[in-house]
Amino acid sequence: MELLSFGSYLSPDNPEVKVAVLTVEGARGGRLSVLVVDDSPFSRKLLERVLQGQPYDVAFAKDGQEALASISEFRPNIVITDWMLPDLSGPELCRKIRSESKSRYTYVILLTSKAEEENIVEGLAAGADDYLTKPCSVKELVARVGVGRRIIEMHREIQEKNDLLEAAARTDFLTGLPNRRAVEEYAAKQLGGAVRHQFPLWAILIDLDKFKMVNDQYGHLAGDEVLKRLAAILKKNTRTSDICGRLGGDEFILVVTHVPVGHITNLAERLRATFMLEEFTFGGQNLQMTASFGVGGFQHPERPEFRHLLARADAALYEAKTDGRVRAHSK
């Protein structure tokens, strides 16, 4: 069995290396990045030959500080580090990796000639995921890296699912628009910027007129169609710097920045008129739907909270409703 003794040259024609390459290439697709940390040029070259031709992007560091800088820039998925480094020990490097790498998981393999139980416990307690003693076989090293690959892929899958859950928690299921939580989080950030940089910010509330009648006479599927059509119009007419969302029921919101006071009502009127042009047919009958708009604004030097803008927009919406619906009012 060929051993990586880090004192003998590993031939590129070694058959064990070829077998190891085939084993790793059988893993699920996608290249991973590996950082090798060792102060010995010979050891780094040896590990480079082992990983050569495999689905990894490999980088090297000769000490702990260089490794930490590489981790910050290169963001490797797997780190293979020697225990004895010029500035940090392997366990110290593990602890720093764990304390500084919060956004994504880094799989760490500690490679050392220290085989005593207390050393193994110390390395694993410091944050190493695996512990490999020298000399080790080529097959074992590549297999351990393969384990790291599987763990990283599992973490990726978990993160992707968490991201989907997070997106779902901020999305209205029916319309696909941001929900109230997402809108309020976005608006709070924008309001902070509006206060600091003195630009106007507006909340436009939209409420469908006589929506209950649609649900009662034509059913909830018809009502859902009306909601989705209004959502599509809002989404199409929302700039990337702004946000539109569904607050619940038949109430929607549009948060707009950098629009002068003289133009904001025109925007609401344009959206109202666009929605009126939509044609609906339910139960063989043509139906025209309308909506009322209420605009609440912030302009420097005020320092309101977003709930204050919502209250203004809600008051303006109430006026639009009591004034006959099918119109836009502002406060």
Side-chain angles (χ1 to χ4, degrees):
M1 179 175 65
E2 183 72 28
L3 297 180
L4 284 179
S5 64
F6 296 85
S8 61
Y9 183 75
L10 180 65
S11 168
D13 296 325
N14 188 303
E16 287 196 342
V17 176
K18 292 182 179 179
V19 172
V21 170
L22 292 174
T23 301
V24 177
E25 286 180 343
R28 198 161 56 86
R31 295 180 66 84
L32 297 184
S33 52
V34 177
L35 175 65
V36 175
V37 188
D38 200 305
D39 62 328
S40 166
F42 184 82
S43 296
R44 294 197 300 270
K45 186 64 176 178
L46 200 58
L47 286 167
E48 180 182 11
R49 298 300 292 267
V50 171
L51 298 173
Q52 185 178 10
Q54 298 183 26
Y56 302 117
D57 295 318
V58 185
F60 299 90
K62 63 180 180 297
D63 57 43
Q65 294 303 323
E66 188 174 296
L68 292 172
S70 295
I71 289 169
S72 177
E73 179 180 357
F74 181 55
R75 302 189 70 189
N77 304 108
I78 300 172
V79 172
I80 303 173
T81 180
D82 190 23
W83 184 296
M84 301 298 294
L85 298 172
D87 50 355
L88 299 173
S89 69
E92 287 174 332
L93 179 58
C94 288
R95 282 190 285 270
K96 286 185 175 292
I97 290 173
R98 293 293 173 241
S99 65
E100 297 177 11
S101 181
K102 302 291 186 182
S103 60
R104 57 181 285 177
Y105 194 76
T106 303
Y107 191 89
V108 181
I109 300 174
L110 197 54
L111 193 60
T112 177
S113 58
K114 295 177 178 289
E116 292 76 14
E117 181 180 1
E118 59 268 24
N119 297 127
I120 297 174
V121 171
E122 180 185 355
L124 295 175
D129 295 282
D130 203 353
Y131 191 102
L132 197 55
T133 56
K134 305 175 186 178
C136 62
S137 73
V138 173
K139 280 185 177 180
E140 183 178 7
L141 175 61
V142 176
R144 299 293 182 99
V145 175
V147 170
R149 179 187 179 92
R150 292 196 297 273
I151 296 297
I152 291 299
E153 288 174 344
M154 181 181 68
H155 273 273
R156 282 181 172 178
E157 290 179 357
I158 293 172
Q159 186 59 52
E160 288 171 0
K161 291 177 181 177
N162 287 340
D163 290 343
L164 289 174
L165 290 173
E166 184 66 22
R170 287 174 164 78
T171 304
D172 176 63
F173 178 77
L174 177 65
T175 64
L177 294 182
N179 61 16
R180 187 184 194 104
R181 173 186 172 187
V183 170
E184 289 184 347
E185 289 177 354
Y186 172 87
K189 294 178 182 178
Q190 287 293 80
L191 188 56
V195 170
R196 287 192 304 273
H197 303 293
Q198 303 180 20
F199 58 79
L201 183 143
W202 307 93
I204 304 176
L205 288 180
I206 305 105
D207 190 84
L208 288 164
D209 298 326
K210 300 181 179 179
F211 180 68
K212 185 176 183 300
M213 177 271 294
V214 176
N215 281 331
D216 291 344
Q217 292 189 14
Y218 304 104
H220 288 283
L221 290 179
D224 289 349
E225 176 64 20
V226 174
L227 293 172
K228 288 189 283 188
R229 297 269 284 276
L230 175 56
I233 289 173
L234 294 177
K235 185 176 182 179
K236 183 178 179 180
N237 290 276
T238 299
R239 302 174 303 180
T240 55
S241 58
D242 301 328
I243 190 172
C244 64
R246 183 186 178 199
L247 297 182
D250 62 336
E251 191 170 43
F252 294 78
I253 187 171
L254 179 62
V255 179
V256 182
T257 62
H258 297 92
V259 175
V261 62
H263 295 169
I264 190 63
T265 304
N266 294 339
L267 170 61
E269 283 289 351
R270 187 170 69 251
L271 291 171
R272 184 193 61 77
T274 300
F275 181 62
M276 279 189 65
L277 296 176
E278 289 290 302
E279 296 180 356
F280 297 92
T281 302
F282 302 127
Q285 298 185 28
N286 295 329
L287 184 67
Q288 182 187 52
M289 292 297 301
T290 62
S292 299
F293 289 68
V295 181
F298 150 79
Q299 295 185 86
H300 187 75
E302 293 180 276
R303 302 180 68 89
E305 297 179 13
F306 183 61
R307 60 188 177 90
H308 298 145
L309 296 189
L310 283 181
R312 292 179 187 177
D314 192 55
L317 179 62
Y318 178 78
E319 288 184 359
K321 289 286 190 180
T322 56
D323 200 26
R325 301 185 178 91
V326 200
R327 63 198 68 231
H329 279 207
S330 63
K331 284 285 188 181

Coordinates of all heavy atoms in Angstrom, one line a residue, residues 83 90-92 94-95 110 112 114-133:
W83 N -0.6 20.2 11.5 CA -0.7 20.6 12.9 C 0.4 21.7 13.2 O 0.1 22.7 13.8 CB -0.5 19.4 13.8 CG -0.6 19.7 15.3 CD1 0.1 20.5 16.0 CD2 -1.7 19.2 16.2 NE1 -0.3 20.5 17.3 CE2 -1.4 19.7 17.4 CE3 -2.7 18.3 16.0 CZ2 -2.2 19.4 18.5 CZ3 -3.5 18.0 17.1 CH2 -3.3 18.6 18.4
G90 N -2.3 23.8 14.3 CA -3.5 23.4 13.6 C -4.7 23.6 14.3 O -5.7 24.2 13.8
P91 N -4.8 23.3 15.6 CA -6.0 23.5 16.4 C -6.3 25.0 16.5 O -7.5 25.4 16.5 CB -5.7 22.9 17.8 CG -4.7 21.8 17.5 CD -3.9 22.3 16.3
E92 N -5.3 25.9 16.7 CA -5.6 27.3 16.7 C -6.2 27.8 15.4 O -7.1 28.6 15.4 CB -4.3 28.1 17.0 CG -3.7 27.9 18.4 CD -2.4 28.5 18.6 OE1 -1.6 28.6 17.6 OE2 -2.1 29.0 19.7
C94 N -8.0 26.0 13.4 CA -9.4 25.5 13.4 C -10.3 26.4 14.2 O -11.4 26.7 13.7 CB -9.4 24.1 14.0 SG -8.7 22.8 13.0
R95 N -9.8 26.8 15.3 CA -10.7 27.7 16.2 C -11.0 29.0 15.5 O -12.1 29.5 15.5 CB -10.0 27.9 17.5 CG -10.2 26.7 18.5 CD -9.8 27.1 19.9 NE -8.3 27.1 20.0 CZ -7.6 26.1 20.3 NH1 -8.2 24.9 20.6 NH2 -6.3 26.2 20.4
L110 N -7.5 17.8 9.8 CA -6.2 18.0 10.4 C -5.3 16.9 10.1 O -5.6 15.7 10.4 CB -6.5 18.2 11.9 CG -5.4 18.8 12.8 CD1 -5.0 20.2 12.3 CD2 -5.9 18.9 14.2
T112 N -1.5 15.3 10.7 CA -0.4 15.4 11.6 C 0.2 14.0 12.0 O -0.4 13.0 11.8 CB -0.9 16.0 12.9 OG1 0.2 16.1 13.9 CG2 -2.0 15.3 13.6
K114 N 1.0 13.5 15.1 CA 0.6 13.3 16.5 C -0.6 12.3 16.5 O -1.7 12.6 16.1 CB 0.2 14.6 17.1 CG 1.3 15.6 17.2 CD 0.8 17.0 17.7 CE 1.9 18.0 17.9 NZ 2.8 17.6 19.0
A115 N -0.3 11.1 17.0 CA -1.4 10.1 17.0 C -1.9 9.8 18.4 O -2.7 8.9 18.5 CB -0.8 8.8 16.4
E116 N -1.5 10.5 19.4 CA -1.9 10.2 20.8 C -3.4 10.6 20.9 O -3.9 11.6 20.3 CB -1.1 10.9 21.8 CG 0.4 10.4 21.9 CD 1.3 10.9 20.8 OE1 0.8 11.8 20.1 OE2 2.4 10.3 20.6
E117 N -4.1 9.9 21.8 CA -5.5 10.2 22.0 C -5.8 11.6 22.4 O -6.7 12.3 21.9 CB -6.1 9.2 23.0 CG -7.6 9.4 23.3 CD -8.1 8.5 24.3 OE1 -7.3 7.7 24.9 OE2 -9.3 8.5 24.6
E118 N -4.9 12.2 23.3 CA -5.2 13.5 23.7 C -5.0 14.6 22.6 O -5.7 15.6 22.5 CB -4.3 13.9 24.9 CG -2.8 13.8 24.6 CD -2.2 12.5 25.0 OE1 -3.0 11.5 25.0 OE2 -1.0 12.4 25.2
N119 N -4.1 14.3 21.6 CA -4.0 15.1 20.5 C -5.2 15.1 19.6 O -5.7 16.1 19.0 CB -2.7 14.8 19.7 CG -1.5 15.0 20.5 OD1 -0.6 14.0 20.6 ND2 -1.3 16.1 21.1
I120 N -5.7 13.9 19.4 CA -6.9 13.7 18.5 C -8.1 14.4 19.1 O -8.8 15.2 18.4 CB -7.2 12.2 18.3 CG1 -6.1 11.5 17.6 CG2 -8.5 12.0 17.6 CD1 -6.3 10.0 17.5
V121 N -8.2 14.3 20.4 CA -9.3 15.0 21.1 C -9.2 16.5 21.0 O -10.1 17.2 20.8 CB -9.4 14.5 22.6 CG1 -10.4 15.4 23.4 CG2 -9.8 13.0 22.7
E122 N -7.9 17.0 21.2 CA -7.7 18.4 21.1 C -8.0 18.9 19.8 O -8.7 20.0 19.6 CB -6.2 18.7 21.5 CG -5.9 20.2 21.4 CD -4.4 20.5 21.6 OE1 -3.6 19.5 21.9 OE2 -4.0 21.6 21.5
G123 N -7.6 18.2 18.7 CA -7.9 18.7 17.4 C -9.4 18.7 17.0 O -9.9 19.7 16.5
L124 N -10.1 17.7 17.4 CA -11.5 17.6 17.1 C -12.3 18.7 17.9 O -13.2 19.3 17.5 CB -12.1 16.2 17.4 CG -11.5 15.1 16.5 CD1 -12.0 13.8 16.9 CD2 -11.9 15.4 15.0
A125 N -11.8 18.8 19.2 CA -12.5 19.8 20.1 C -12.3 21.2 19.5 O -13.1 22.1 19.8 CB -12.0 19.7 21.5
A126 N -11.1 21.5 18.9 CA -10.8 22.8 18.3 C -11.7 23.1 17.1 O -11.7 24.3 16.7 CB -9.4 22.9 18.0
G127 N -12.3 22.1 16.5 CA -13.2 22.4 15.4 C -12.9 21.6 14.1 O -13.5 21.8 13.1
A128 N -11.9 20.7 14.2 CA -11.6 19.9 13.0 C -12.7 18.9 12.8 O -13.3 18.4 13.8 CB -10.2 19.2 13.2
D129 N -13.0 18.6 11.6 CA -14.0 17.6 11.3 C -13.4 16.2 11.2 O -14.1 15.2 11.4 CB -14.7 17.9 9.9 CG -15.5 19.2 10.0 OD1 -16.6 19.2 10.6 OD2 -15.0 20.3 9.5
D130 N -12.2 16.1 10.8 CA -11.5 14.8 10.6 C -10.1 15.0 11.0 O -9.5 16.1 11.0 CB -11.6 14.4 9.2 CG -11.5 12.9 9.0 OD1 -11.2 12.2 10.0 OD2 -11.7 12.4 7.9
Y131 N -9.5 13.9 11.4 CA -8.1 13.8 11.9 C -7.4 12.7 11.2 O -7.8 11.5 11.3 CB -8.2 13.6 13.4 CG -6.9 13.8 14.2 CD1 -6.7 15.0 14.9 CD2 -5.9 12.9 14.2 CE1 -5.5 15.2 15.6 CE2 -4.7 13.1 14.9 CZ -4.5 14.2 15.6 OH -3.4 14.4 16.3
L132 N -6.3 13.0 10.5 CA -5.6 12.0 9.8 C -4.1 12.0 10.2 O -3.5 13.1 10.1 CB -5.7 12.3 8.3 CG -5.4 11.2 7.3 CD1 -6.2 9.9 7.6 CD2 -5.7 11.7 5.8
T133 N -3.6 10.9 10.6 CA -2.2 10.8 11.0 C -1.3 10.4 9.9 O -1.6 9.6 9.1 CB -2.1 9.8 12.2 OG1 -2.6 8.5 11.8 CG2 -2.9 10.3 13.4

